[in-house]
Amino acid sequence: MAENCTRKLIVEICNANNLMPKDGQGTASAYAIVDFAGQRRRTKTKFRDLNPVWDENLEFLVHGIGSMASEILEINLYNDKKIGKRSNFLGKIKLAGTVFVSAGAESLVYYSLEKRSVFSQVKGEIGVKIFYVDEEAAPTSAEQKEETAEEKPPEEEKPAEENKEEAPKEEEKPNPPPPESSNPQDAVAASTSETNPAPEEENNQPLANKEEPPTETAKDKAETGKSTELIINNLELRSLSGDHNRMGYDLVDPMPFLYVRVVKAKVANKEPACPLHAKIVIGTHSIKTKTQINRDWDQVFAFDKEGLNSSSLEVSVWTEEGKNEEAPSSLVESCLGTVSFDLQEVPKRVPPDSPLAPQWYSLESESETGNDVMVAVWVGTQADEAFQEAWQSDSGGLIPETRAKVYLSPKLWYLRLTVIQTQDLQLDLVSEAKVRSPEIYVKALLGAQLFKTSRTEVGSAWNEDLVFVAAEPFEPFLVVKVEDASNRQSVGDVKIHVSSIDRRTDDKTEVKSRWFNLIGGENKPYAGRIHVRVCLEGGYHVLDEAAHVTSDVRATAKQLTKPPIGLLDVGIRGANNMLPVKTKDGPCGTTDAYVVAKYGPKWIRTRTILDLFNPRWNEQYTWDVYDPCTVLTIGVFDNGRYKGDKDVSIGKVRIRLSTLDTNKVYRNSYTLTVLSPDGVKKMGEIEIAIRFCCSSWLSLIQAYRSPMLPRMHHVSPLGPAQQDILRYTAMHIVTARLARSEPALGQEVVQFMLDSDTHVWSMRRSKANWFRVVGCLSRVASLVRWLDEIRTWVHPPTTVLVHGLLVAAVICSHLVLPTTFMYAFLILALRLRYCRRIPYNVESRLSYVDVVSPDELDEEFDEFLTNKSSDTIRIRYDRLRVLASRIQTLLGDVAVQGERLEALFSWKDPRATGIFLVFCLFVSLLFYLVPLKVLVLGAGFYYIRHPRFRDDMPSLPINFFRRLPSLSDQIM
């Protein structure tokens, strides 16, 4: 694509809102300067307007299509210095090339203006549309010469005419150069911006006229394109290579494999149509290639070197004569020759070495001569690029269900349908007893999802929102039906193409409502009209997993995605002491284990190691990290699908990234525990190596001050019940899509990884949440007991000391808060030595699985609509379970608050505790310097401030507190 077309980036500067006044008269004359890949464009100046509207399109040339993602687009807003006394900075935004979309998928996005420095006074936001257009490549040099020769005379005459026409205009309106600038670059900028000069602080950047892009020779363009294509973000490169297991096998042990590549054979005395196959024999290991008539196999076989029981390798070629589909038993195989290799002399290859070139070897045979086979034999590791597609001895060969794969969850959107009203409905009046004011309702269907509005009389308005979950590729139609509530018959319906529905990224983008004609059937081509507003919401994050173990919080719209802050490297090393899951050949048990890891939309699945209780995978994968307060989920399963059965879960590990130190490798073993109706059982241990890499501490710390979820979740929130319904719908969609992959990721696997049963009533979980609350309240109870001991003089010296402290606090009240925060600072600093260095995991004791009764387990694994009692008891039982599940969730939410506060002082999240430690130090110094009365007065004024000065988003302390870890991700 890069060779056949050129790409242009279109930046549409739409408008800005609520800018900071900068001209000294309460207004600002704003213009925008856009920089991309060494090119600069400028908009016109909007005079004395704090909410300017430009609607200007600025074009940029993309030098390298492959390197566009690594480019940065910067938009700066300035106040025109010709209008005001000062040329001031109004704000800026920086956007990575990863958020650019193709033409047709763009939408208006509002970005908050950022400061240039700590002392910048900036507020407001700017609305832009950014997209790229691919155009066909320019004609060849020969065609260019012909066109140039033909069009040369007109081109020479045209500028002269234009100069004649533009000369009077220049005389009428002179445009002198700015007095403060003598740089030739400023002159170019001035000619570009009509009458508005560029700011002085931007003169050192390269400029380009909008109509005349920078002139370059063909050689310069080739060198520039080549260099920009080679500049790839290191994070993206490592993440991409991690998907294919090519780089960075430093977290796992190298596993030696003997690779045998059989390419083709040359047979002298056989007919061309004679089928051939090759056979590889190493001791007791024997495998053969596919049978090919064209004698071209090109297959790679990987043998686990530790499992070989011979020091020699034999490759032989066999012919199959007399093969007949009607009589397969008449097949006669004859050997054409054999070539032997001494495994002690096989060369070793370690990437990034080039692949070993295959060579021709003569086949030795007593009866055949002149036969050759092309073979390459080498010793490598699992990092070899041939490993993924090779026949693997430890995973059953070429069975699709046992091979390593990478899956991606579908991209999910919220589809909002606002039903406004209906008109001119053609109702059927079939009887005289018809209700005078019939009631109707609207029913909408998207795939298997169905939602209804409330009932209302004909002619009334609803103004109700129906929210669906839509997955790419979208369902073809959204079906909207109007039904009569009296007889539940359809009045009419309309089908709306989902692909034609407008998309928006925030609540400020207006979505136009539309009227649709209802179709009643073959005999009723017109049954009325319905007024609706429908859009795809890109500003939300569609939750498809439990909120306390979420691994991704990005908005759906690509334009709102920020660059990753780091990389997560996970090495799946192996498992130890695993118990048998299924039987094999009688009473003997066996386990065919594989590992599934999920973080964000990316799922990975290791190869299945057959019939081993201590499997060694030694596979390494990489994820981009956009938020540190997310959870990595790793599950171990027994593979039954390659035999036609379901996969069985063996255990699960959850690791919160915020509890990890950056750029540090953690190698630990985690206990695998599975819960079943028969009780809890420890199935073994899994050995995992994990590393969270982050190159910028500033971006990592800034993540703690931003909201967990995108802006739309706060300015236009969804109800708790509605969000639960949408979350389970999203789970079902992800499960169905991954089950349709090849090889399929089973429904039982996806549901186990997503914790789809967290809403089901469980006496065990309720007890666990209750004891979590008791554990948090026990600290308060200890404080109350301590105060009671002071009051009752249980320990007289302590009581006397408290009297002295009380007198000191009354006399020197200004030292109370500084001393308290200094004390907290010292306590946290001392507790750093006792900080746990092992990542937290699911704990069976905290999950209350060791003392659960069989009856409670039977109730937990019982179906939601139980069939163990009569109808009356079943209704009461299910009603109790629904009520109890709400209480269970409430108890868990209460426990989370106390656990977050406890985690702040226990260094569970080192970065969060470190931020709070520094905060305590600065607050301590602040209270030393500023009188308490001033701080109390300022806090009171801030608390009762006018709504105009309030923000729609949560405050910084709330965002920080909600990001603290709790024990929710350790509950089974």
Side-chain angles (χ1 to χ4, degrees), residues 929-956:
L929 299 176
V930 182
L932 178 62
K933 294 181 180 180
V934 176
L935 293 176
V936 173
L937 185 62
F941 284 171
Y942 179 81
Y943 185 77
I944 60 174
R945 66 191 184 278
H946 193 272
R948 178 180 298 178
F949 303 102
R950 296 180 184 272
D951 192 8
D952 296 331
M953 307 301 291
S955 62
L956 189 148

mmCIF file of all heavy atoms in Angstrom, residues 929-956:
data_model
loop_
_atom_site.group_PDB
_atom_site.id
_atom_site.type_symbol
_atom_site.label_atom_id
_atom_site.label_comp_id
_atom_site.label_asym_id
_atom_site.label_seq_id
_atom_site.Cartn_x
_atom_site.Cartn_y
_atom_site.Cartn_z
ATOM 1 N N LEU A 929 3.927 26.325 57.717
ATOM 2 C CA LEU A 929 4.126 27.681 57.186
ATOM 3 C C LEU A 929 2.848 28.515 57.177
ATOM 4 O O LEU A 929 2.914 29.735 57.328
ATOM 5 C CB LEU A 929 4.687 27.591 55.760
ATOM 6 C CG LEU A 929 6.047 26.886 55.612
ATOM 7 C CD1 LEU A 929 6.428 26.777 54.154
ATOM 8 C CD2 LEU A 929 7.122 27.637 56.390
ATOM 9 N N VAL A 930 1.703 27.882 56.975
ATOM 10 C CA VAL A 930 0.439 28.621 56.827
ATOM 11 C C VAL A 930 -0.379 28.452 58.094
ATOM 12 O O VAL A 930 -0.508 27.329 58.609
ATOM 13 C CB VAL A 930 -0.341 28.089 55.597
ATOM 14 C CG1 VAL A 930 -1.628 28.880 55.418
ATOM 15 C CG2 VAL A 930 0.513 28.184 54.344
ATOM 16 N N PRO A 931 -0.958 29.510 58.602
ATOM 17 C CA PRO A 931 -1.797 29.397 59.814
ATOM 18 C C PRO A 931 -2.998 28.490 59.565
ATOM 19 O O PRO A 931 -3.551 28.433 58.461
ATOM 20 C CB PRO A 931 -2.216 30.846 60.088
ATOM 21 C CG PRO A 931 -1.178 31.679 59.413
ATOM 22 C CD PRO A 931 -0.747 30.899 58.209
ATOM 23 N N LEU A 932 -3.403 27.812 60.648
ATOM 24 C CA LEU A 932 -4.500 26.863 60.532
ATOM 25 C C LEU A 932 -5.802 27.563 60.184
ATOM 26 O O LEU A 932 -6.606 27.043 59.410
ATOM 27 C CB LEU A 932 -4.634 26.086 61.843
ATOM 28 C CG LEU A 932 -5.780 25.074 61.904
ATOM 29 C CD1 LEU A 932 -5.581 23.992 60.852
ATOM 30 C CD2 LEU A 932 -5.866 24.447 63.292
ATOM 31 N N LYS A 933 -5.993 28.746 60.737
ATOM 32 C CA LYS A 933 -7.255 29.451 60.482
ATOM 33 C C LYS A 933 -7.395 29.778 58.998
ATOM 34 O O LYS A 933 -8.493 29.709 58.432
ATOM 35 C CB LYS A 933 -7.322 30.729 61.319
ATOM 36 C CG LYS A 933 -7.398 30.466 62.822
ATOM 37 C CD LYS A 933 -7.480 31.768 63.597
ATOM 38 C CE LYS A 933 -7.558 31.507 65.105
ATOM 39 N NZ LYS A 933 -7.634 32.768 65.886
ATOM 40 N N VAL A 934 -6.289 30.132 58.372
ATOM 41 C CA VAL A 934 -6.329 30.443 56.935
ATOM 42 C C VAL A 934 -6.679 29.196 56.132
ATOM 43 O O VAL A 934 -7.488 29.239 55.187
ATOM 44 C CB VAL A 934 -4.982 31.023 56.481
ATOM 45 C CG1 VAL A 934 -4.979 31.255 54.973
ATOM 46 C CG2 VAL A 934 -4.698 32.317 57.223
ATOM 47 N N LEU A 935 -6.101 28.072 56.493
ATOM 48 C CA LEU A 935 -6.387 26.837 55.769
ATOM 49 C C LEU A 935 -7.825 26.384 55.974
ATOM 50 O O LEU A 935 -8.480 25.939 55.035
ATOM 51 C CB LEU A 935 -5.426 25.735 56.218
ATOM 52 C CG LEU A 935 -3.951 25.941 55.855
ATOM 53 C CD1 LEU A 935 -3.107 24.834 56.455
ATOM 54 C CD2 LEU A 935 -3.771 25.987 54.352
ATOM 55 N N VAL A 936 -8.320 26.495 57.212
ATOM 56 C CA VAL A 936 -9.708 26.109 57.465
ATOM 57 C C VAL A 936 -10.664 27.005 56.697
ATOM 58 O O VAL A 936 -11.660 26.533 56.107
ATOM 59 C CB VAL A 936 -9.992 26.140 58.975
ATOM 60 C CG1 VAL A 936 -11.474 25.915 59.254
ATOM 61 C CG2 VAL A 936 -9.164 25.095 59.696
ATOM 62 N N LEU A 937 -10.377 28.317 56.687
ATOM 63 C CA LEU A 937 -11.238 29.238 55.948
ATOM 64 C C LEU A 937 -11.199 28.942 54.452
ATOM 65 O O LEU A 937 -12.226 28.928 53.770
ATOM 66 C CB LEU A 937 -10.784 30.663 56.218
ATOM 67 C CG LEU A 937 -11.658 31.780 55.615
ATOM 68 C CD1 LEU A 937 -13.064 31.727 56.198
ATOM 69 C CD2 LEU A 937 -11.024 33.142 55.848
ATOM 70 N N GLY A 938 -9.996 28.663 53.921
ATOM 71 C CA GLY A 938 -9.903 28.336 52.504
ATOM 72 C C GLY A 938 -10.609 27.044 52.158
ATOM 73 O O GLY A 938 -11.266 26.934 51.120
ATOM 74 N N ALA A 939 -10.484 26.032 53.035
ATOM 75 C CA ALA A 939 -11.176 24.771 52.782
ATOM 76 C C ALA A 939 -12.683 24.938 52.826
ATOM 77 O O ALA A 939 -13.422 24.353 52.026
ATOM 78 C CB ALA A 939 -10.729 23.722 53.805
ATOM 79 N N GLY A 940 -13.160 25.749 53.755
ATOM 80 C CA GLY A 940 -14.606 25.980 53.827
ATOM 81 C C GLY A 940 -15.139 26.706 52.611
ATOM 82 O O GLY A 940 -16.179 26.340 52.069
ATOM 83 N N PHE A 941 -14.411 27.738 52.172
ATOM 84 C CA PHE A 941 -14.830 28.447 50.962
ATOM 85 C C PHE A 941 -14.787 27.521 49.747
ATOM 86 O O PHE A 941 -15.643 27.618 48.859
ATOM 87 C CB PHE A 941 -13.932 29.656 50.734
ATOM 88 C CG PHE A 941 -14.239 30.818 51.646
ATOM 89 C CD1 PHE A 941 -13.410 31.914 51.691
ATOM 90 C CD2 PHE A 941 -15.364 30.803 52.456
ATOM 91 C CE1 PHE A 941 -13.696 32.988 52.528
ATOM 92 C CE2 PHE A 941 -15.653 31.860 53.290
ATOM 93 C CZ PHE A 941 -14.813 32.955 53.338
ATOM 94 N N TYR A 942 -13.777 26.695 49.685
ATOM 95 C CA TYR A 942 -13.675 25.767 48.561
ATOM 96 C C TYR A 942 -14.820 24.756 48.576
ATOM 97 O O TYR A 942 -15.350 24.387 47.523
ATOM 98 C CB TYR A 942 -12.335 25.044 48.610
ATOM 99 C CG TYR A 942 -12.134 24.041 47.503
ATOM 100 C CD1 TYR A 942 -11.738 24.448 46.239
ATOM 101 C CD2 TYR A 942 -12.347 22.688 47.709
ATOM 102 C CE1 TYR A 942 -11.568 23.537 45.211
ATOM 103 C CE2 TYR A 942 -12.173 21.767 46.702
ATOM 104 C CZ TYR A 942 -11.786 22.197 45.456
ATOM 105 O OH TYR A 942 -11.615 21.301 44.448
ATOM 106 N N TYR A 943 -15.207 24.315 49.734
ATOM 107 C CA TYR A 943 -16.274 23.308 49.830
ATOM 108 C C TYR A 943 -17.630 23.880 49.432
ATOM 109 O O TYR A 943 -18.459 23.172 48.851
ATOM 110 C CB TYR A 943 -16.328 22.759 51.251
ATOM 111 C CG TYR A 943 -17.316 21.638 51.444
ATOM 112 C CD1 TYR A 943 -17.022 20.359 50.999
ATOM 113 C CD2 TYR A 943 -18.551 21.863 52.045
ATOM 114 C CE1 TYR A 943 -17.936 19.323 51.151
ATOM 115 C CE2 TYR A 943 -19.465 20.831 52.203
ATOM 116 C CZ TYR A 943 -19.145 19.572 51.757
ATOM 117 O OH TYR A 943 -20.056 18.550 51.915
ATOM 118 N N ILE A 944 -17.871 25.159 49.718
ATOM 119 C CA ILE A 944 -19.183 25.766 49.411
ATOM 120 C C ILE A 944 -19.074 26.693 48.205
ATOM 121 O O ILE A 944 -19.854 27.644 48.087
ATOM 122 C CB ILE A 944 -19.726 26.516 50.637
ATOM 123 C CG1 ILE A 944 -18.764 27.631 51.055
ATOM 124 C CG2 ILE A 944 -19.985 25.569 51.786
ATOM 125 C CD1 ILE A 944 -19.312 28.504 52.176
ATOM 126 N N ARG A 945 -18.130 26.445 47.344
ATOM 127 C CA ARG A 945 -17.928 27.308 46.188
ATOM 128 C C ARG A 945 -19.136 27.264 45.249
ATOM 129 O O ARG A 945 -19.928 26.309 45.278
ATOM 130 C CB ARG A 945 -16.656 26.907 45.438
ATOM 131 C CG ARG A 945 -16.703 25.544 44.804
ATOM 132 C CD ARG A 945 -15.314 25.135 44.325
ATOM 133 N NE ARG A 945 -15.322 23.868 43.621
ATOM 134 C CZ ARG A 945 -15.315 22.686 44.213
ATOM 135 N NH1 ARG A 945 -15.327 22.599 45.525
ATOM 136 N NH2 ARG A 945 -15.307 21.577 43.478
ATOM 137 N N HIS A 946 -19.232 28.246 44.406
ATOM 138 C CA HIS A 946 -20.351 28.379 43.463
ATOM 139 C C HIS A 946 -20.306 27.252 42.429
ATOM 140 O O HIS A 946 -19.217 26.806 42.040
ATOM 141 C CB HIS A 946 -20.264 29.732 42.759
ATOM 142 C CG HIS A 946 -21.504 30.092 42.009
ATOM 143 N ND1 HIS A 946 -21.719 29.717 40.709
ATOM 144 C CD2 HIS A 946 -22.614 30.773 42.395
ATOM 145 C CE1 HIS A 946 -22.892 30.155 40.307
ATOM 146 N NE2 HIS A 946 -23.461 30.820 41.310
ATOM 147 N N PRO A 947 -21.460 26.769 41.952
ATOM 148 C CA PRO A 947 -21.448 25.688 40.935
ATOM 149 C C PRO A 947 -20.697 26.049 39.672
ATOM 150 O O PRO A 947 -20.232 25.162 38.957
ATOM 151 C CB PRO A 947 -22.935 25.452 40.667
ATOM 152 C CG PRO A 947 -23.615 25.902 41.925
ATOM 153 C CD PRO A 947 -22.814 27.049 42.445
ATOM 154 N N ARG A 948 -20.565 27.336 39.394
ATOM 155 C CA ARG A 948 -19.834 27.722 38.191
ATOM 156 C C ARG A 948 -18.377 27.289 38.275
ATOM 157 O O ARG A 948 -17.738 27.022 37.250
ATOM 158 C CB ARG A 948 -19.918 29.233 37.996
ATOM 159 C CG ARG A 948 -19.141 29.762 36.793
ATOM 160 C CD ARG A 948 -19.265 31.261 36.662
ATOM 161 N NE ARG A 948 -20.642 31.672 36.439
ATOM 162 C CZ ARG A 948 -21.019 32.946 36.321
ATOM 163 N NH1 ARG A 948 -20.119 33.914 36.430
ATOM 164 N NH2 ARG A 948 -22.284 33.239 36.125
ATOM 165 N N PHE A 949 -17.856 27.224 39.461
ATOM 166 C CA PHE A 949 -16.457 26.878 39.644
ATOM 167 C C PHE A 949 -16.271 25.401 39.954
ATOM 168 O O PHE A 949 -15.191 24.976 40.362
ATOM 169 C CB PHE A 949 -15.847 27.707 40.773
ATOM 170 C CG PHE A 949 -15.965 29.190 40.562
ATOM 171 C CD1 PHE A 949 -16.932 29.925 41.225
ATOM 172 C CD2 PHE A 949 -15.125 29.842 39.668
ATOM 173 C CE1 PHE A 949 -17.043 31.281 41.026
ATOM 174 C CE2 PHE A 949 -15.233 31.198 39.461
ATOM 175 C CZ PHE A 949 -16.201 31.925 40.143
ATOM 176 N N ARG A 950 -17.309 24.619 39.781
ATOM 177 C CA ARG A 950 -17.199 23.187 40.021
ATOM 178 C C ARG A 950 -17.004 22.449 38.691
ATOM 179 O O ARG A 950 -17.416 22.931 37.634
ATOM 180 C CB ARG A 950 -18.448 22.648 40.721
ATOM 181 C CG ARG A 950 -18.660 23.231 42.111
ATOM 182 C CD ARG A 950 -19.919 22.653 42.749
ATOM 183 N NE ARG A 950 -20.200 23.257 44.036
ATOM 184 C CZ ARG A 950 -19.704 22.807 45.189
ATOM 185 N NH1 ARG A 950 -18.922 21.739 45.186
ATOM 186 N NH2 ARG A 950 -19.985 23.401 46.323
ATOM 187 N N ASP A 951 -16.417 21.292 38.761
ATOM 188 C CA ASP A 951 -16.161 20.455 37.588
ATOM 189 C C ASP A 951 -17.093 19.251 37.616
ATOM 190 O O ASP A 951 -17.497 18.792 38.695
ATOM 191 C CB ASP A 951 -14.706 19.977 37.579
ATOM 192 C CG ASP A 951 -14.319 19.361 36.248
ATOM 193 O OD1 ASP A 951 -15.122 19.437 35.299
ATOM 194 O OD2 ASP A 951 -13.224 18.799 36.168
ATOM 195 N N ASP A 952 -17.443 18.774 36.422
ATOM 196 C CA ASP A 952 -18.308 17.595 36.340
ATOM 197 C C ASP A 952 -17.593 16.318 36.729
ATOM 198 O O ASP A 952 -18.236 15.331 37.108
ATOM 199 C CB ASP A 952 -18.866 17.448 34.911
ATOM 200 C CG ASP A 952 -19.753 18.610 34.526
ATOM 201 O OD1 ASP A 952 -20.367 19.207 35.431
ATOM 202 O OD2 ASP A 952 -19.822 18.897 33.330
ATOM 203 N N MET A 953 -16.281 16.323 36.635
ATOM 204 C CA MET A 953 -15.515 15.117 36.902
ATOM 205 C C MET A 953 -15.233 14.965 38.391
ATOM 206 O O MET A 953 -15.255 15.939 39.143
ATOM 207 C CB MET A 953 -14.196 15.142 36.127
ATOM 208 C CG MET A 953 -14.370 15.390 34.640
ATOM 209 S SD MET A 953 -15.387 14.136 33.870
ATOM 210 C CE MET A 953 -14.297 12.744 33.976
ATOM 211 N N PRO A 954 -14.972 13.754 38.838
ATOM 212 C CA PRO A 954 -14.633 13.551 40.260
ATOM 213 C C PRO A 954 -13.358 14.304 40.625
ATOM 214 O O PRO A 954 -12.498 14.584 39.791
ATOM 215 C CB PRO A 954 -14.442 12.029 40.368
ATOM 216 C CG PRO A 954 -15.156 11.467 39.199
ATOM 217 C CD PRO A 954 -15.068 12.481 38.109
ATOM 218 N N SER A 955 -13.248 14.628 41.894
ATOM 219 C CA SER A 955 -12.091 15.367 42.371
ATOM 220 C C SER A 955 -10.850 14.487 42.382
ATOM 221 O O SER A 955 -10.930 13.257 42.302
ATOM 222 C CB SER A 955 -12.358 15.913 43.776
ATOM 223 O OG SER A 955 -12.565 14.847 44.682
ATOM 224 N N LEU A 956 -9.707 15.153 42.524
ATOM 225 C CA LEU A 956 -8.429 14.419 42.504
ATOM 226 C C LEU A 956 -8.318 13.431 43.657
ATOM 227 O O LEU A 956 -7.879 12.295 43.450
ATOM 228 C CB LEU A 956 -7.286 15.422 42.506
ATOM 229 C CG LEU A 956 -5.859 14.890 42.272
ATOM 230 C CD1 LEU A 956 -5.035 15.945 41.552
ATOM 231 C CD2 LEU A 956 -5.172 14.511 43.570
#
